[in-house]
């Protein structure tokens, strides 16, 4: 379609496909775009300086985005890695830095999903952002140097979301929130921010508010929260 002109790699309606070991720079649209399909693997690509999104998937099922390095994605309202629709996505071991958007974004992804062991550094719109995505585990990611009002992890809608074992650090002057859950369905066994094993403790530092939960039933426990602003309108943990 016209909107795919300028993408570095574009596949559509593909099953059992692998996009691997490419070096993509100065791209006028998306670095890698995959639309509709199953068992797609996007692995070990270098994607730098793209007008829109580094890696964008739409309606993929049972697919993985792994071991990629992305810098300088510029379209706001998305993530350097963005997955929309489809089901059963794994996003792991990626390195994202210096983006004008979020580091990783999932929207309306069904099935069971994992965002694990990714590094996001200096993402202007935050580390990991999800909307209407359920059965999701956000595990052992390192979200560092988030500036402005950027969040660490922002979860809107969906249900059964666990945020465990992440290191989330604000840059200087950040006025945002480390972990935010808004209108997430489920109960305290399904929605967790931190847990009892040491490996599942989130370390959150430098934000105005460490954890905020709104319109959500969740268990918030055993997190380490330091350096929050401490103003009268800001909190270590805020339940609304």
């Amino acid at each position: 379609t016209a909107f795919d002109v300028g993408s570095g790699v574009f596949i559509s309606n593909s099953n059992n496909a692998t996009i691997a070991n490419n070096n993509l720079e100065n791209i006028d649209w998306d670095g890698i775009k995959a639309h509709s399909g199953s068992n797609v693997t996007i692995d070990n690509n270098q994607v730098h300086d793209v007008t829109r999104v580094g890696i964008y998937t739409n309606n993929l099922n049972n697919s993985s985005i792994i071991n990629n390095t992305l810098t300088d994605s510029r379209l706001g309202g998305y993530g350097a890695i963005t997955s929309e629709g489809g089901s059963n996505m794994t996003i792991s071991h990626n390195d994202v830095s210096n983006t004008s958007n979020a580091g990783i974004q999932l929207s309306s992804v069904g099935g069971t999903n994992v965002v694990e062991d990714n590094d996001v550094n200096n993402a202007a719109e935050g580390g990991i952002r999800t909307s209407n995505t359920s059965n999701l585990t956000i595990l052992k990611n390192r979200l560092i140097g988030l500036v402005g009002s950027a969040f660490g992890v922002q979860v809107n809608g969906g249900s059964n979301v666990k945020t465990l074992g992440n290191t989330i650090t604000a840059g200087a002057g950040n006025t945002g929130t480390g972990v935010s859950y808004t209108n997430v369905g489920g109960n305290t066994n399904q929605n967790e921010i931190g847990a009892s094993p040491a490996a599942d403790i989130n370390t959150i530092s430098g934000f105005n508010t460490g954890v905020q939960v709104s319109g959500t039933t969740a268990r918030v426990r055993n997190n380490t929260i330091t350096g929050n602003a401490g103003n009268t309108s800001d909190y270590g943990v805020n339940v609304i």
Side-chain angles (χ1 to χ4, degrees), residues 69-135:
T69 300
L70 304 96
T71 60
D72 297 312
S73 297
R74 294 192 292 275
L75 182 63
Y78 287 80
I81 298 172
T82 295
S83 183
E84 297 184 339
S87 63
N88 301 323
M89 293 296 299
T90 296
I91 300 174
S92 67
H93 299 94
N94 300 286
D95 191 325
V96 178
S97 62
N98 300 326
T99 71
S100 300
N101 42 29
I104 298 168
Q105 179 168 304
L106 292 87
S107 179
S108 300
V109 183
T112 300
N113 305 285
V114 177
V115 178
E116 179 178 8
D117 201 14
N118 299 282
D119 288 278
V120 176
N121 194 330
N122 192 26
E125 293 184 356
I128 297 169
R129 177 167 57 201
T130 78
S131 62
N132 300 317
T133 296
S134 299
N135 306 313

Side-chain angles (χ1 to χ4, degrees), residues 187-217:
N187 58 43
T188 56
N189 293 318
Q190 296 170 323
N191 296 316
E192 292 189 285
I193 301 172
S196 55
D200 288 342
I201 295 172
N202 297 296
T203 300
I204 303 166
S205 61
F207 293 88
N208 268 20
T209 297
V211 175
Q212 180 166 295
V213 177
S214 175
T216 300
T217 300

Side-chain angles (χ1 to χ4, degrees), residues 9-238:
V9 176
F10 173 59
I11 64 171
S12 181
N13 299 308
S14 298
N15 298 321
N16 305 308
T18 299
I19 302 170
N21 305 317
N22 298 286
N23 190 348
L24 306 168
E25 299 186 38
N26 301 315
I27 306 300
D28 288 337
W29 196 248
D30 296 327
I32 296 171
K33 184 169 186 176
H35 175 72
S36 296
S38 297
N39 302 310
V40 173
T41 301
I42 301 173
D43 182 13
N44 195 38
N45 298 281
Q46 308 288 317
V47 184
H48 307 294
D49 191 12
V50 297
T51 298
R52 204 176 94 107
V53 174
I55 297 174
Y56 176 85
T57 71
N58 179 256
N59 292 327
L60 290 190
N61 301 301
N62 305 312
S63 296
S64 300
I65 301 170
I66 55 175
N67 304 315
N68 300 283
T69 300
L70 304 96
T71 60
D72 297 312
S73 297
R74 294 192 292 275
L75 182 63
Y78 287 80
I81 298 172
T82 295
S83 183
E84 297 184 339
S87 63
N88 301 323
M89 293 296 299
T90 296
I91 300 174
S92 67
H93 299 94
N94 300 286
D95 191 325
V96 178
S97 62
N98 300 326
T99 71
S100 300
N101 42 29
I104 298 168
Q105 179 168 304
L106 292 87
S107 179
S108 300
V109 183
T112 300
N113 305 285
V114 177
V115 178
E116 179 178 8
D117 201 14
N118 299 282
D119 288 278
V120 176
N121 194 330
N122 192 26
E125 293 184 356
I128 297 169
R129 177 167 57 201
T130 78
S131 62
N132 300 317
T133 296
S134 299
N135 306 313
L136 169 65
T137 301
I138 301 169
L139 179 66
K140 297 181 182 176
N141 300 282
R142 293 159 296 279
L143 314 174
I144 307 298
L146 305 172
V147 297
S149 59
F151 54 85
V153 174
Q154 184 181 50
V155 180
N156 292 309
S159 63
N160 189 11
V161 180
K162 299 180 187 298
T163 299
L164 305 172
N166 300 280
T167 299
I168 306 170
T169 304
N174 186 290
T175 58
T177 298
V179 178
S180 173
Y181 276 36
T182 303
N183 298 328
V184 181
N187 58 43
T188 56
N189 293 318
Q190 296 170 323
N191 296 316
E192 292 189 285
I193 301 172
S196 55
D200 288 342
I201 295 172
N202 297 296
T203 300
I204 303 166
S205 61
F207 293 88
N208 268 20
T209 297
V211 175
Q212 180 166 295
V213 177
S214 175
T216 300
T217 300
R219 180 183 288 122
V220 181
R221 57 177 175 160
N222 298 319
N223 299 283
T224 299
I225 301 171
T226 59
N228 61 306
N231 298 319
T232 56
S233 59
D234 302 312
Y235 307 89
V237 177
N238 185 22

